[in-house]
Amino acid sequence: MLYQQVAERLAKAIQSGAYVEGERLPSVRRLHQEWQVSFSTALAALGLLEAQGLIEARPRSGYYVRARSLSLPKIQQQTEPAPAAVERYALISRVLQQSHQPGLMHLGAAVPEPCYLPLDALKRISARCLREQPSLLTDYAFAPGDEELRRQISQRMQLVGCQIDKEDVLITQGCQEALSLCLRALAKPGDIIAIESPAYHGLLQAIEALGLRALEIPCHPQDGLDVEALARALGQWPVKACVVSANFSNPSGSLMPDEAKARLVALISAAQIPLIEDDTYGDLTHGSRRPRPLKSWDREGWVLYCSAFSKTLAPGFRVGWLVAGRFQATLQRLFTVTALAGHALSQRVIAEYLARGEYDRHLRRIRRSYRQQMQAAGEALAAEHLPVHWQLPRGGFLLWLQLASAQDAMQVYQRLLEQGVSVMPGHLFSGTEHFQHCLRLSVAVKTPQWPEFARALQQVL
Ligand SMILES: Cc1ncc(COP(=O)(O)O)c(C=O)c1O
């Protein structure tokens, strides 16, 4: 039927991003004139897309692309969160181990495949650094770490509004170490830490290992932390610290609007509760402007900023950093008694890479690739008409899926594994039961086979 062909053409245009969420589609009159179809065919095509949930009619205005947003899990409307011990370590370790098995389509771990990393440049710079200063291979990099690297990092942070200099930066061995050090410095066993729900599994493991209790604050899948819910929780519980990933959180990819970020920093500063910011994915915006970190609103030093080059340059280099505000001296001491020192060679190589000005070009390339991969994954899922909701994040390389039926994601994960595909079940991202129908995928894979993945998912659902 002609109206179905018209509908299909429009659906393709939406899925390819030619029309984005909230954008107005051509009117019935324009379809009639430009696509040379009758009024009734155009109307029937738009009606079909509306019935499929792709578009919505707005009275006296026209048809608009509908936002494919997830419905918030029920807890967020029904009950206020309460602190609880986390017990996820064993499960997370098992799934992470399985997800690295050879021969799988690796969509599980949040580790970019080598084609997204500037391997050749890092190899060249490493060779030159070693030629010029062989002791880099054996030297300790004592805290606070390589001076040039700290200078480069502080300059980049200044560009996104953080009023810091190189003396404020402490180089760590990845962001995981930075997060763990902050938790150890700020809390003792039994203390309550307010975190996002869902949250990064490595954070849950650290909270569990340190004997802390997690207070899971509801998050909107698109706009991140619910600041009002956090404000209520702070009034009710003696929270020792908060941990928030405002820019492209793991797993949901949410991005807090600037206005909510400002309110959050004002809230924790007034309450004098430290906030640990995890900005691991902040550099990976799909848009033109890198979002501001929470730290850029921090005037009183309550934000402890953590990040790393693990998702952008070299996961195995183990180079991250910490800007701990009023807690900087405590953190530096804790780092020294924990790690003694960092890796001199990897710190120097990254410092050189940044100093050459290559980082921004590299970021532009991978941001474009991740945006395209997301789009392709979304199109493949849409083409199979799967009973799954998702929304394309505005940055990063993680796609968060919510199964429409109340299927157990752990079973789906197991069945996908049998089909040769690794993903991450939602169980890994919360101490609660609320995300057990969710899956996380990484799109940072070299040869993505999205149609094959969508068909595999179709079979196991
Ligand atoms: C949100 C988030 N924070 C921290 C980390 C840990 O990063 P790193 O490898 O730098 O320790 C990860 C790694 O997956 C992450 O996704």
Side-chain angles (χ1 to χ4, degrees):
M1 300 283 273
L2 185 57
Y3 80 92
Q4 286 171 324
Q5 286 167 11
V6 174
E8 238 174 66
R9 212 172 130 190
L10 281 168
K12 276 213 176 99
I14 293 169
Q15 278 146 13
S16 72
Y19 296 101
V20 295
E21 284 180 9
E23 191 174 347
R24 189 163 176 237
L25 287 169
S27 64
V28 172
R29 178 176 300 279
R30 262 192 62 199
L31 286 175
H32 164 68
Q33 285 167 349
E34 290 173 18
W35 292 27
Q36 288 166 5
V37 294
S38 70
F39 276 83
S40 56
T41 299
L43 255 178
L46 290 165
L48 179 62
L49 292 176
E50 190 182 14
Q52 289 171 347
L54 265 182
I55 64 172
E56 63 193 5
R58 297 190 193 159
R60 287 186 296 284
S61 177
Y63 287 89
Y64 290 76
V65 180
R66 248 180 81 174
R68 291 192 68 111
S69 63
L70 308 181
S71 49
L72 288 175
K74 284 210 174 68
I75 184 182
Q76 298 172 2
Q77 289 105 36
Q78 286 182 349
T79 52
E80 290 292 325
V86 179
E87 287 179 22
R88 284 286 184 273
Y89 190 87
L91 176 69
I92 294 169
S93 304
R94 180 160 57 82
V95 171
L96 283 178
Q97 218 172 13
Q98 285 174 332
S99 72
H100 284 108
Q101 281 168 21
L104 293 175
M105 192 194 290
H106 287 117
L107 310 180
V111 183
E113 291 199 349
C115 63
Y116 298 104
L117 304 170
L119 269 186
D120 287 341
L122 294 176
K123 266 191 326 210
R124 268 198 315 275
I125 298 171
S126 301
R128 220 200 49 232
C129 285
L130 277 178
R131 241 189 349 264
E132 289 171 4
Q133 194 182 339
S135 65
L136 281 173
L137 204 54
T138 49
D139 282 349
Y140 280 130
F142 289 111
D146 187 283
E147 186 177 349
E148 176 59 15
L149 178 59
R150 288 185 291 115
R151 205 174 65 82
Q152 292 290 334
I153 288 172
S154 62
Q155 280 179 2
R156 295 193 67 82
M157 289 187 67
Q158 284 162 16
L159 288 176
V160 284
C162 300
Q163 295 173 10
I164 62 150
D165 62 38
K166 68 180 189 327
E167 311 309 328
D168 300 311
V169 179
L170 169 67
I171 305 298
T172 61
Q173 296 170 95
C175 187
Q176 181 70 32
E177 185 180 62
L179 293 171
S180 291
L181 287 173
C182 290
L183 289 173
R184 280 173 57 203
L186 298 171
K188 57 182 189 324
D191 280 347
I192 300 172
I193 307 296
I195 62 171
E196 293 161 300
S197 191
Y200 160 54
H201 55 69
L203 173 66
L204 293 175
Q205 285 184 305
I207 286 177
E208 180 173 346
L210 295 172
L212 306 171
R213 285 183 294 157
L215 179 60
E216 296 199 22
I217 307 298
C219 292
H220 187 276
Q222 190 156 5
D223 294 338
L225 187 86
D226 179 340
V227 181
E228 279 61 48
L230 176 66
R232 286 196 301 277
L234 294 186
Q236 199 180 351
W237 304 101
V239 170
K240 271 291 159 64
C242 308
V243 188
V244 178
S245 187
N247 298 327
F248 319 125
S249 67
N250 176 1
S252 78
S254 61
L255 170 64
M256 287 179 74
D258 277 358
E259 176 267 330
K261 288 178 181 169
R263 269 189 294 129
L264 173 58
V265 177
L267 172 71
I268 60 97
S269 303
Q272 306 201 334
I273 295 174
L275 185 154
I276 302 164
E277 172 172 25
D278 180 347
D279 200 29
T280 298
Y281 294 89
D283 275 348
L284 291 178
T285 177
H286 298 168
S288 51
R289 192 179 66 93
R290 195 245 194 248
R292 279 173 65 181
L294 295 168
K295 184 72 187 164
S296 66
W297 278 273
D298 182 28
R299 296 289 166 265
E300 295 173 25
W302 289 103
V303 176
L304 297 89
Y305 177 95
C306 307
S307 193
F309 294 105
S310 308
K311 307 299 173 189
T312 52
L313 290 181
F317 269 38
R318 310 309 298 137
V319 175
W321 72 98
L322 180 51
V323 179
R326 61 173 65 216
F327 305 95
Q328 191 72 6
T330 311
L331 264 301
Q332 185 158 323
R333 203 172 53 203
L334 195 54
F335 171 85
T336 301
V337 300
T338 306
L340 186 59
H343 301 171
L345 177 62
S346 48
Q347 292 186 19
R348 179 60 56 80
V349 171
I350 291 190
E352 293 269 322
Y353 184 83
L354 297 176
R356 286 161 161 227
E358 291 186 22
Y359 188 53
D360 283 312
R361 207 171 331 124
H362 165 67
L363 282 180
R364 277 197 294 278
R365 210 184 59 237
I366 57 174
R367 287 165 173 169
R368 199 172 43 244
S369 302
Y370 293 150
R371 195 175 54 228
Q372 287 165 353
Q373 292 295 352
M374 284 288 175
Q375 203 74 48
E379 278 169 30
L381 291 170
E384 286 296 321
H385 301 290
L386 295 172
V388 167
H389 298 283
W390 73 92
Q391 60 186 19
L392 298 184
R394 286 169 282 174
F397 52 78
L398 301 174
L399 186 58
W400 186 232
L401 307 182
Q402 183 173 317
L403 308 177
S405 56
Q407 285 218 39
D408 181 32
M410 204 62 212
Q411 283 177 13
V412 175
Y413 156 78
Q414 282 296 351
R415 284 190 233 130
L416 279 173
L417 213 52
E418 284 155 25
Q419 306 246 355
V421 183
S422 79
V423 297
M424 291 271 157
H427 302 57
L428 269 55
F429 303 97
S430 169
T432 74
E433 322 280 292
H434 301 297
F435 304 98
Q436 302 199 344
H437 59 311
C438 297
L439 297 173
R440 192 199 72 184
L441 314 180
S442 163
V443 304
V445 286
K446 184 173 179 219
T447 42
Q449 295 157 329
W450 299 121
E452 287 81 349
F453 167 72
R455 278 196 292 277
L457 189 56
Q458 173 81 290
Q459 276 171 28
V460 302
L461 285 180

